[in-house]
Amino acid sequence: MPRQVFTDSCGPVSVFEGGDIEGAVALLCAMVNCVVENDRLEADIARSCIKRSWYFTDNYDAKGTDARFAVIEQQVYDELASVVGSRLVCENNPLRVPAEHAGELGSWIETGDAIVPNMEGPFVEWKQIASGYREVAEEIQTLKVIEGWEGDGAEAYRLNVLRKAAWLDSLADLMDNCKAMTEAVSNIQALLSSAIWNTIKERTPGNNLPDRDNLKGLLEVDVNRLHVKYEAMSNNELFQASLYQRTSRMVYELAQLRASIRIVDDEGQAWKRLAVEAGDKLIAAVEAAKQHQQSLTDYNSTTTVDTDPQTCAIITDNTDPHIKDGW
């Protein structure tokens, strides 16, 4: 089940974390293994129904048939690994898989795991700091006039208090920009992680979606019906029977899943534009805070605020430890 995180802009948001995606992937891996086992079982039933005679082997290449089936099995596991990454392919898979790689879902799993830490860590911290600065600024405002004190000194004091309050307000704006940036990115990450999770579920046989009903049969084998079916066939019909249809269908479904994931990835490129915009706003807020610092009469030149774009635009170059590579 997805977790709920609170955002200022959207209220409670459902978050599918990396574990949710991995859970859907584990189900998909188990289903691929089930499909392969079902096809192996059907092939064994078909073999058991071959009519034994002195000449039946003339039309039956047992080794060649097994080799063709092995190729189909290899295809489905290769396709599975290309989607979910070889690390997530079920351990009981007896076949080789491609060299270690993350697959199409690797970066999405990392992204899903970053959302909650972002919202429960930096987002909350930025919000609390901004609120604290504004409270102090409001308190300072109440001290700008001291009853009974007039003249140049009182005016200088008043202006200095106002400058300090404005400086604190600018720092609060900076913190708000950091908070808003974290929230905006997390909202989009949550939306896209949900899209990826649903994409996997939609391509999973037997998930009870109406357009997937025709795939439920991939996970079912009626042994008695298959015995009756193949016992009624002649040897020539048995040798020409179309076997491994379940596994072949799963190869197609996995290829379609990989394509669907890439579509979500392409549509998510709008996130990059948002990252740039958020980074620009953050840089502007930092510069405003620095200028307010410099305008103070007691400005300390050793106190600096870094306005380097590579430092401020933390999303675009992944310097925030919660923003994972692949984004």
Side-chain angles (χ1 to χ4, degrees):
M1 295 295 293
R3 288 182 62 177
Q4 296 287 323
V5 297
F6 179 81
T7 69
D8 286 345
S9 61
C10 302
V13 173
S14 296
V15 174
F16 287 90
E17 300 179 272
D20 297 312
I21 297 175
E22 284 193 331
V25 165
L27 179 61
L28 185 64
C29 290
M31 289 180 172
V32 169
N33 283 337
C34 179
V35 164
V36 171
E37 289 298 326
N38 287 346
D39 274 344
R40 289 175 181 172
L41 176 59
E42 182 175 2
D44 288 342
I45 292 173
R47 287 191 186 97
S48 71
C49 294
I50 294 175
K51 282 70 177 175
R52 303 292 169 175
S53 66
W54 65 270
Y55 64 86
F56 89 95
T57 54
D58 291 345
N59 294 322
Y60 180 58
D61 180 3
K63 290 184 178 180
T65 300
D66 288 340
R68 288 193 296 274
F69 293 163
V71 167
I72 299 173
E73 290 185 12
Q74 188 65 63
Q75 287 176 342
V76 78
Y77 282 112
D78 285 351
E79 192 66 46
L80 179 64
S82 71
V83 173
V84 306
S86 51
R87 178 179 67 84
L88 297 177
V89 175
C90 293
E91 294 180 357
N92 62 339
N93 167 23
L95 303 175
R96 69 169 182 83
V97 295
E100 180 67 28
H101 62 90
E104 297 289 339
L105 290 174
S107 62
W108 290 105
I109 291 171
E110 291 187 354
T111 293
D113 283 334
I115 302 169
V116 172
N118 277 344
M119 293 302 296
E120 293 183 349
F123 174 80
V124 173
E125 292 168 5
W126 292 129
K127 186 174 181 178
Q128 291 174 342
I129 293 171
S131 177
Y133 278 145
R134 288 206 164 88
E135 287 179 4
V136 174
E138 290 175 2
E139 290 177 5
I140 290 177
Q141 288 276 9
T142 65
L143 302 175
K144 65 185 177 183
V145 176
I146 298 178
E147 186 176 354
W149 186 17
E150 299 179 354
D152 293 342
E155 180 62 15
Y157 168 79
R158 186 183 70 83
L159 293 175
N160 189 42
V161 169
L162 291 176
R163 280 195 295 270
K164 287 182 180 293
W167 173 55
L168 288 172
D169 276 333
S170 70
L171 289 179
D173 288 341
L174 171 60
M175 300 304 105
D176 275 336
N177 272 279
C178 294
K179 174 186 73 74
M181 177 187 64
T182 303
E183 180 182 38
V185 173
S186 296
N187 278 335
I188 293 181
Q189 286 177 325
L191 177 65
L192 295 178
S193 291
S194 176
I196 286 294
W197 185 86
N198 282 302
T199 297
I200 300 171
K201 296 293 288 183
E202 288 170 2
R203 286 289 172 183
T204 301
N207 67 3
N208 296 323
L209 293 178
D211 60 341
R212 299 286 93 186
D213 284 346
N214 61 331
L215 295 179
K216 292 180 182 179
L218 299 180
L219 306 177
E220 302 170 354
V221 172
D222 186 333
V223 174
N224 292 331
R225 184 185 66 80
L226 289 176
H227 271 291
V228 171
K229 171 184 175 181
Y230 289 119
E231 285 173 353
M233 292 183 179
S234 67
N235 279 353
N236 284 336
E237 289 173 330
L238 283 168
F239 300 154
Q240 296 176 24
S242 296
L243 300 175
Y244 270 75
Q245 293 301 301
R246 300 175 185 83
T247 304
S248 297
R249 179 59 185 274
M250 277 304 301
V251 172
Y252 167 80
E253 291 295 330
L254 289 169
Q256 292 298 306
L257 172 58
R258 183 152 50 90
S260 297
I261 293 170
R262 288 180 177 176
I263 289 173
V264 175
D265 193 29
D266 290 341
E267 292 176 345
Q269 294 307 307
W271 178 90
K272 293 183 178 179
R273 292 192 295 274
L274 175 65
V276 173
E277 293 173 4
D280 289 344
K281 291 179 181 178
L282 180 58
I283 293 171
V286 170
E287 183 60 30
K290 182 176 180 180
Q291 290 175 1
H292 278 293
Q293 275 188 320
Q294 292 172 334
S295 69
L296 293 176
T297 56
D298 58 347
Y299 171 66
N300 181 351
S301 62
T302 63
T303 302
T304 61
V305 180
D306 194 348
T307 57
D308 179 3
Q310 293 302 314
T311 301
C312 297
I314 60 175
I315 306 174
T316 56
D317 70 346
N318 292 334
T319 59
D320 188 316
H322 296 301
I323 304 300
K324 303 297 185 180
D325 291 337
W327 280 90

